[in-house]
Amino acid sequence: GTWGRGLVVTKVVLATLNDHKTVIPNELPLIQEVTTTLREWSIIWRQLYVVRTGHVRHMIYDLIEWRSQILSGTLPQDELKELKKKVTAKIDYGNRILDLDLVVRDEDGNILDPEQTSTISLFRAHEIASKQVEERLQEEKSQKQNIDINRQAKFAATPSFALFVNLKNVVCKIGEDAEVLMSLYDPLESKFISENYLVRWSSCGLPKDIDRLHNLRAVFTDLGSKDLKREKISFVCQIVRVGRMELRDNNTRKLTSGLRRPFGVAVMDVTDIINGKVDDEDKQHFIPFQPKEFPHLVDRSTAVARKMGFPEIIMPGDVRNDIYVTLVQGDFDKGSKTTAKNVEVTVSVYDEDGKRLESVIFPGAGDEAISEYKSVIYYQVKQPRWFETVKVAIPIEDVNRSHLRFTFRHRSSQDSKDKSEKIFALAFVKLMRYDGTTLRDGEHDLIVYKAEAKKLEDASTYLSLPSTKIELEEKGHSATGKSMQNLGSCTISKDSFQISTLVCSTKLTQNVDLLGLLKWRSNTSLLHQNLKQLMKVDGGEVVKFLQDTLDALFNIMMENSESETFDTLVFDALVFIIGLIADRKFQHFNPVLETYIKKHFSATLLELELTKVLKTYVDNAEKCGITDQLFKAMKALEYIFKFIVRSRILFNQLYENKGEADFRESLLQLFKSINEMMSSNSDQTVIVKVCAFHIPNCREILLPTMTDQLKYHLERQEDLEACCQLLSNILEVLYKKDVGPTQRHVQIIMENLLRTVNRTVISMGRDSELIGSFVACMTAILRQMEDYHYAHLIKTFGKMRSDVVDFLMETFIMFKNLIGKNVYPFDWVIMNMMQNKVFLRAINQYADMLNKKFLDQTNFELQVRKNSQLSQLNHSRLRPVGLVTESQNHSRLWVGILLESSNHQELGFVAGKYFLETFKLFCRRGEKHLRELMESLLVILGAFSSGTTISTWLTARKAGCPHSPFHKNGEF
């Protein structure tokens, strides 16, 4: 056959150890894994040839090809790294769909060695690997089978993307000049997500700007991870004819020209391109927006069409002040005409004095700014729907005085009539609201006013009137009446007109609380309130104005340095912002904060203010109401100290180390306060101390308090997720080799938490989301316990035999249940094997302890001699061959002896001796018989602990326990 074709035999090294030859592959571990995987998959491929031949075949061929590329040794380091990621992702995906074992890896893609990996890390690696494979399977279900894993991994780490478009030609018989508008569109949300790229096309079939021939290129920028997750993205190309009203109008009368008329639209699904699934560079390019690295694609002549919205990262200094205005739809009465009007909407921007702002409207990227924009005209349509979007870019200082003005005019196809047509109505909307915030995003129902044309051109005629129907209702007028209402010299028309707006500004906010902080100097009496309200502002709004917000906070602190009135509030606000960026949702803003500190932060003497407030919090750590804020501050400590250090550096540059002694003293006092807090045993400081847990001396102080708190909450079934997370982190630290001695600390956890964690596991249902995490914690504790710890564990129970028996009963019941029904998925083989290996070691340790605790040789022989009935028993019949391997007659005899005995205490010694020998035999045999061993051992532990006769106890066990280790006939 040809099943082995494509598998390459590589060089090996023969090593001789004690006369045994060992074959050591002389290749990368990844190559070894690929080779092993291919051999395993090829066998399964044969078994599934009829069912899934294509799927498996393609995966095998991919791995063979990639294996050859790696072995060639010609790949650059960055390409090799990406290829390794692609290979491991393909292997993990293939293993899942072929029902093979889940492979767990480190961050570099290497297979984890379970012997060198902590239990907690192993569990978390399984969770991550399982989640990644599951996400891939979900992508398969969503018809994304061919996504390139290499690119997906690369895109996931890239905050911003771009779609490069090169317009080669417009093959369309138009007959007149035209505008070609290209944009990205989400068909499921029914909205455009980018600006238009506009190309003006001449009637002769060439660009109107002939210099741009063969150079019609645009980059649609600012696309982020949210855009990659869109189910569908379309590339929409609209063609607007510019000329006559009707193409068929070819009579000799002079016709109106320059009218924008709809001509056609083309749509292309670019979802695969956006997701990096298409590699045909002759047709499309999909690249991260990095013009310097792609000079052959992007240059100064390339148009940049920005996303209608913010990119996922807004760097300091990236100033943007764009307002996107979309003409949505209208409804216009035909009036005295027999047919509906040919309505043209003209958009312009005016200030409050009635002066038009020039060159502030952009119809599309690649085109020049204009002063007024004219809409497409729909011929004799009463309810036109335009959905035309333009960008309005106004200087920030002019926004508060500006408004959008929309005028409506009927256009005639005959030039003579068209010239006589005047503006018949007007609508407007102010860009700044009464409270100082910008116009809200979304749709706006504008009021259509009618008046004489000259009056409509006068801004003072309408600016004092309500612009939207909502404002009209707020002023007590009806917005739904069919009759016309007079307001001043204007009349409210029955016509309707809707627009939608989207503000993309790093200087103008729509949040009144944030605005109050940014403009705090205008009303200092509200500063206290504004600082408190900042912490209620949506995080997405805060990060958009990150630089301005931080500047405002530091200016408040510096300009009020003589008073401590605002120091604490500013400190809290700073901690809030740092915590916001630490959140997973905004963690991609970390580089922004770093850039701000290095290049834009300029406050000197701030280090003393920040140090003073932080010290106050630490000194009052035990007071009610302080703990939560102190905990947040400790989490933000890294950036707080970066601000302190940067402030001091800037001060030294200006004043040459002036006040250095005061600065050092303030830091010294702060660290002393932190040390005192760490030595405190109060409940309020427990969470804060986690930061110092890696230091042995600090750990000696912290651990007893932390374990007491964990035990308290676990016993009450409170905050289980937080407890599990904290315990996992503690165990993870104690497993490390570079944190100093840990034997004493493992003992503290064993004494205080082992039994509590066991009981938590026992009480949890298998459907609990935390059961796997708690089993991992319990396994980690047992694994990190040394022989000394096991011996010490029994001593903690004192002289009460019943306490030891109860503990062992709980433990063995738990082991039996976990072995019989794993809490982890079947393909978590490494985790399951680690768990069973730890259980086996624990059982062996408990066996020795049982032998020493219960079967003292002197007492055992004395009890045997006292019992004549049992002393006649041939002990050779009780040789430790294991109940599961003995004949049925032997088992029946053994059970009969137990049932006939009347002295359960003496019997316990005999039975215990027998079972301990059997117990050790099981331990030597390995994991295979663990469950059988648990069931047998539980019977004897019951005999040790029972206060009744063994006959009664066994009868109760058989009758009351559906999972009894006894069969119906009394056999094991």
Side-chain angles (χ1 to χ4, degrees):
T2 59
W3 298 100
R5 186 174 298 172
L7 299 182
V8 182
V9 179
T10 58
K11 298 179 181 179
V12 299
V13 176
L14 292 178
T16 303
L17 298 173
N18 299 329
D19 297 330
H20 295 283
K21 290 185 178 180
T22 305
V23 179
I24 305 174
N26 187 22
E27 56 190 15
L28 294 171
L30 181 61
I31 294 297
Q32 298 177 35
E33 183 185 358
V34 172
T35 305
T36 304
T37 300
L38 288 171
R39 289 170 180 159
E40 186 175 16
W41 285 7
S42 66
I43 297 173
I44 299 174
W45 183 20
R46 271 187 276 187
Q47 297 169 352
L48 304 178
Y49 185 77
V50 179
V51 183
R52 284 183 283 183
T53 174
H55 209 34
V56 179
R57 181 180 70 247
H58 290 314
M59 290 193 299
I60 288 179
Y61 286 172
D62 285 343
L63 287 182
I64 292 174
E65 173 63 25
W66 295 337
R67 181 180 184 274
S68 299
Q69 292 179 23
I70 296 174
L71 284 173
S72 68
T74 59
L75 294 177
Q77 284 298 319
D78 56 343
E79 291 186 25
L80 179 62
K81 184 177 180 180
E82 294 299 330
L83 183 57
K84 285 181 178 179
K85 290 182 180 178
K86 185 157 57 175
V87 169
T88 55
K90 179 72 74 175
I91 291 174
D92 295 343
Y93 171 72
N95 285 339
R96 170 61 69 88
I97 66 173
L98 294 174
D99 293 332
L100 299 176
D101 300 345
L102 180 69
V103 179
V104 288
R105 310 176 186 278
D106 59 19
E107 295 178 354
D108 298 324
N110 302 315
I111 297 178
L112 285 176
D113 181 357
E115 297 299 327
Q116 303 297 324
T117 308
S118 71
T119 307
I120 300 300
S121 294
L122 199 63
F123 170 71
R124 290 173 177 171
H126 276 83
E127 281 190 316
I128 294 171
S130 183
K131 182 179 179 181
Q132 289 174 343
V133 176
E134 193 62 36
E135 288 175 352
R136 176 68 191 275
L137 291 175
Q138 291 300 322
E139 290 173 0
E140 290 287 326
K141 293 179 182 179
S142 302
Q143 298 180 347
K144 294 181 180 179
Q145 296 97 331
N146 300 320
I147 290 180
D148 187 323
I149 299 299
N150 177 33
R151 284 187 175 181
Q152 286 295 337
K154 188 174 182 179
F155 291 170
T158 307
S160 185
F161 315 95
L163 178 68
F164 178 84
V165 175
N166 190 351
L167 180 63
K168 297 292 187 181
N169 197 4
V170 178
V171 184
C172 186
K173 186 177 180 181
I174 302 173
E176 291 186 301
D177 290 350
E179 297 174 0
V180 181
L181 299 107
M182 291 154 278
S183 55
L184 298 179
Y185 181 77
D186 187 328
L188 298 182
E189 295 185 7
S190 299
K191 72 174 185 179
F192 288 96
I193 61 176
S194 77
E195 299 176 358
N196 289 318
Y197 168 45
L198 173 60
V199 176
R200 299 191 183 274
W201 206 256
S202 70
S203 58
C204 59
L206 294 171
K208 295 199 74 172
D209 184 357
I210 198 65
D211 293 335
R212 298 180 63 190
L213 183 64
H214 305 308
N215 191 27
L216 298 171
R217 298 181 293 183
V219 176
F220 292 86
T221 67
D222 300 333
L223 303 176
S225 58
K226 292 182 180 178
D227 299 303
L228 293 181
K229 294 176 182 177
R230 295 179 188 271
E231 292 187 32
K232 197 170 184 180
I233 297 180
S234 299
F235 182 76
V236 177
C237 179
Q238 303 175 72
I239 298 179
V240 176
R241 181 174 57 82
V242 182
R244 295 165 288 175
M245 184 70 74
E246 294 287 342
L247 276 173
R248 63 176 180 268
D249 291 343
N250 53 7
N251 52 26
T252 57
R253 289 176 299 177
K254 191 174 182 180
L255 303 175
T256 306
S257 62
L259 302 177
R260 298 182 72 244
R261 299 280 286 125
F263 182 83
V265 63
V267 180
M268 175 183 174
D269 188 349
V270 293
T271 309
D272 289 349
I273 301 174
I274 295 294
N275 284 285
K277 293 169 62 176
V278 176
D279 291 316
D280 190 348
E281 295 188 356
D282 292 333
K283 293 183 180 179
Q284 302 95 1
H285 300 277
F286 184 77
I287 57 173
F289 185 49
Q290 298 171 346
K292 293 181 181 179
E293 294 187 17
F294 298 92
H296 61 294
L297 298 179
V298 181
D299 56 27
R300 292 182 179 180
S301 65
T302 304
V304 177
R306 302 199 72 168
K307 178 183 176 180
M308 288 201 297
F310 282 101
E312 294 194 0
I313 288 185
I314 307 167
M315 296 301 293
D318 184 6
V319 179
R320 188 176 180 185
N321 193 45
D322 300 332
I323 302 174
Y324 293 96
V325 182
T326 302
L327 308 179
V328 180
Q329 61 184 354
D331 189 346
F332 301 95
D333 185 50
K334 62 183 179 180
S336 60
K337 295 182 179 292
T338 57
T339 60
K341 298 174 182 177
N342 307 323
V343 179
E344 178 187 71
V345 184
T346 301
V347 185
S348 52
V349 184
Y350 282 78
D351 64 17
E352 57 190 14
D353 297 328
K355 181 182 177 182
R356 189 176 72 180
L357 275 64
E358 303 296 329
S359 303
V360 294
I361 300 176
F362 295 82
D367 199 37
E368 294 181 354
I370 57 180
S371 300
E372 62 178 23
Y373 173 82
K374 297 184 182 298
S375 72
V376 166
I377 303 167
Y378 290 93
Y379 187 66
Q380 296 183 354
V381 175
K382 182 178 182 293
Q383 297 176 327
R385 294 171 62 86
W386 297 281
F387 290 99
E388 297 179 55
T389 301
V390 295
K391 179 173 71 175
V392 178
I394 305 173
I396 295 171
E397 60 273 12
D398 294 334
V399 173
N400 63 333
R401 303 178 66 250
S402 303
H403 65 277
L404 298 173
R405 184 166 117 172
F406 307 90
T407 56
F408 307 95
R409 181 184 173 197
H410 169 73
R411 301 303 301 267
S412 174
S413 59
Q414 297 181 21
D415 188 48
S416 58
K417 288 184 178 180
D418 188 68
K419 288 181 178 179
S420 64
E421 294 290 347
K422 304 295 183 181
I423 297 172
F424 70 83
L426 171 143
F428 76 98
V429 64
K430 295 179 181 178
L431 296 178
M432 194 73 75
R433 287 162 49 90
Y434 65 91
D435 58 7
T437 59
T438 52
L439 185 66
R440 293 285 186 266
D441 292 343
E443 289 197 357
H444 306 277
D445 255 335
L446 302 187
I447 299 171
V448 179
Y449 288 102
K450 289 193 174 182
E452 295 179 10
K454 288 186 178 180
K455 289 184 177 180
L456 291 177
E457 292 176 358
D458 184 2
S460 62
T461 304
Y462 58 82
L463 273 182
S464 59
L465 303 177
S467 62
T468 67
K469 292 185 177 180
I470 293 178
E471 290 181 33
L472 187 66
E473 292 175 350
E474 289 175 351
K475 293 187 177 184
H477 299 278
S478 173
T480 57
K482 295 184 178 180
S483 60
M484 299 168 71
Q485 303 179 53
N486 292 324
L487 291 178
S489 58
C490 294
T491 302
I492 299 178
S493 169
K494 292 183 292 185
D495 299 340
S496 66
F497 178 60
Q498 289 85 37
I499 66 168
S500 69
T501 58
L502 175 66
V503 178
C504 296
S505 175
T506 55
K507 297 297 181 181
L508 302 173
T509 177
Q510 296 172 334
N511 186 284
V512 66
D513 295 322
L514 184 57
L515 178 68
L517 178 67
L518 296 177
K519 296 187 175 182
W520 64 275
R521 290 188 181 91
S522 62
N523 193 346
T524 55
S525 62
L526 295 176
L527 186 52
H528 191 278
Q529 175 186 339
N530 291 334
L531 285 169
K532 284 192 171 183
Q533 291 297 115
L534 173 65
M535 287 169 272
K536 298 179 182 179
V537 176
D538 178 69
E541 190 73 5
V542 174
V543 296
K544 285 194 296 187
F545 301 90
L546 185 62
Q547 180 177 350
D548 289 345
T549 304
L550 290 172
D551 285 345
L553 290 176
F554 297 136
N555 286 334
I556 292 170
M557 184 173 277
M558 294 307 299
E559 293 182 24
N560 295 273
S561 58
E562 296 180 0
S563 170
E564 299 180 2
T565 308
F566 302 110
D567 286 358
T568 302
L569 285 173
V570 171
F571 183 87
D572 291 347
L574 179 62
V575 168
F576 165 74
I577 293 174
I578 295 173
L580 196 67
I581 294 174
D583 187 274
R584 183 176 299 178
K585 184 178 179 181
F586 303 108
Q587 62 184 3
H588 47 274
F589 274 86
N590 271 313
V592 181
L593 185 57
E594 294 280 0
T595 302
Y596 174 82
I597 295 173
K598 293 176 182 178
K599 296 183 178 181
H600 298 271
F601 175 68
S602 59
T604 57
L605 279 180
L606 189 70
E607 69 277 12
L608 298 177
E609 308 295 331
L610 293 178
T611 304
K612 181 168 55 179
V613 178
L614 180 58
K615 183 179 182 301
T616 302
Y617 271 124
V618 174
D619 289 340
N620 296 277
E622 298 182 10
K623 290 185 178 180
C624 295
I626 296 292
T627 306
D628 289 343
Q629 192 59 35
L630 176 59
F631 177 53
K632 294 175 183 177
M634 296 300 285
K635 290 175 68 176
L637 206 57
E638 175 187 356
Y639 281 106
I640 291 175
F641 273 104
K642 283 185 177 181
F643 279 115
I644 291 174
V645 171
R646 184 60 182 164
S647 177
R648 188 63 199 174
I649 291 174
L650 293 174
F651 183 85
N652 287 343
Q653 291 174 353
L654 290 174
Y655 301 104
E656 297 181 352
N657 297 329
K658 181 181 178 181
E660 186 71 16
D662 292 340
F663 174 64
R664 289 179 176 273
E665 180 63 24
S666 65
L667 284 183
L668 180 61
Q669 294 302 321
L670 173 61
F671 292 141
K672 284 183 178 180
S673 296
I674 293 176
N675 286 337
E676 291 176 5
M677 180 189 68
M678 291 301 179
S679 62
S680 171
N681 292 322
S682 67
D683 297 343
Q684 285 78 13
T685 60
V686 171
I687 300 177
V688 180
K689 299 174 185 176
V690 176
C691 304
F693 194 75
H694 286 71
I695 305 171
N697 292 337
C698 294
R699 193 162 59 239
E700 192 72 31
I701 299 171
L702 295 174
L703 191 58
T705 306
M706 296 171 76
T707 53
D708 288 343
Q709 288 293 313
L710 284 170
K711 184 175 183 179
Y712 175 84
H713 290 289
L714 288 175
E715 287 177 346
R716 287 159 179 77
Q717 298 287 299
E718 298 173 349
D719 299 323
L720 292 180
E721 184 175 1
C723 290
C724 185
Q725 183 68 30
L726 178 58
L727 180 57
S728 298
N729 293 338
I730 292 173
L731 292 168
E732 183 74 357
V733 172
L734 295 181
Y735 186 84
K736 296 178 179 179
K737 306 300 182 185
D738 57 351
V739 294
T742 59
Q743 186 184 58
R744 164 65 183 159
H745 305 136
V746 172
Q747 179 178 322
I748 293 173
I749 293 176
M750 176 195 70
E751 293 174 352
N752 292 355
L753 290 177
L754 178 58
R755 195 167 189 182
T756 303
V757 172
N758 288 353
R759 288 176 172 175
T760 303
V761 170
I762 292 171
S763 65
M764 272 189 170
R766 291 302 171 93
D767 56 345
S768 172
E769 294 181 356
L770 299 176
I771 182 67
S773 300
F774 271 102
V775 171
C777 288
M778 181 266 296
T779 306
I781 295 174
L782 294 174
R783 183 185 178 191
Q784 290 172 228
M785 287 169 57
E786 301 174 6
D787 294 348
Y788 156 79
H789 293 120
Y790 282 98
H792 179 76
L793 178 62
I794 296 300
K795 295 178 182 178
T796 61
F797 292 102
K799 297 182 179 180
M800 295 293 293
R801 282 161 43 108
S802 59
D803 291 343
V804 181
V805 171
D806 289 344
F807 168 74
L808 293 176
M809 284 286 285
E810 288 175 3
T811 302
F812 290 139
I813 288 173
M814 178 182 65
F815 283 179
K816 180 174 75 74
N817 291 336
L818 294 176
I819 294 167
K821 186 180 180 182
N822 291 329
V823 298
Y824 302 121
F826 73 94
D827 60 342
W828 288 28
V829 176
I830 301 298
M831 194 67 200
N832 284 319
M833 289 179 64
M834 171 63 71
Q835 170 194 283
N836 290 347
K837 181 179 180 180
V838 171
F839 287 180
L840 188 61
R841 175 174 175 262
I843 291 170
N844 222 341
Q845 293 286 341
Y846 291 143
D848 291 336
M849 287 188 289
L850 279 172
N851 204 357
K852 296 173 182 177
K853 187 77 176 178
F854 293 101
L855 299 178
D856 180 82
Q857 187 67 27
T858 305
N859 292 334
F860 175 71
E861 293 178 354
L862 177 63
Q863 297 296 336
V864 171
R865 284 195 294 271
K866 287 184 178 180
N867 192 319
S868 58
Q869 181 179 7
L870 290 178
S871 65
Q872 296 172 6
L873 180 65
N874 182 358
H875 287 279
S876 65
R877 298 291 300 276
L878 297 179
R879 61 191 182 279
V881 294
L883 290 179
V884 294
T885 60
E886 279 295 336
S887 66
Q888 290 185 353
N889 291 334
H890 185 107
S891 299
R892 208 174 277 118
L893 171 64
W894 175 240
V895 174
I897 294 173
L898 288 175
L899 292 173
E900 291 299 321
S901 174
S902 59
N903 190 332
H904 63 272
Q905 185 176 10
E906 295 170 0
L907 174 64
F909 286 111
V910 179
K913 186 70 174 178
Y914 173 81
F915 268 88
L916 282 174
E917 295 301 323
T918 307
F919 185 38
K920 293 179 179 178
L921 180 64
F922 272 114
C923 289
R924 289 194 296 272
R925 287 181 177 179
E927 301 174 11
K928 182 178 179 182
H929 303 293
L930 272 176
R931 182 175 172 82
E932 298 166 348
L933 172 62
M934 291 298 98
E935 293 178 339
S936 303
L937 192 57
L938 285 170
V939 175
I940 298 307
L941 285 173
F944 281 136
S945 61
S946 176
T948 61
T949 64
I950 288 184
S951 178
T952 304
W953 183 78
L954 289 176
T955 303
R957 281 283 297 173
K958 286 196 294 180
C961 182
H963 303 293
S964 171
F966 295 97
H967 295 299
K968 292 181 180 179
N969 59 2
E971 297 177 10
F972 284 99

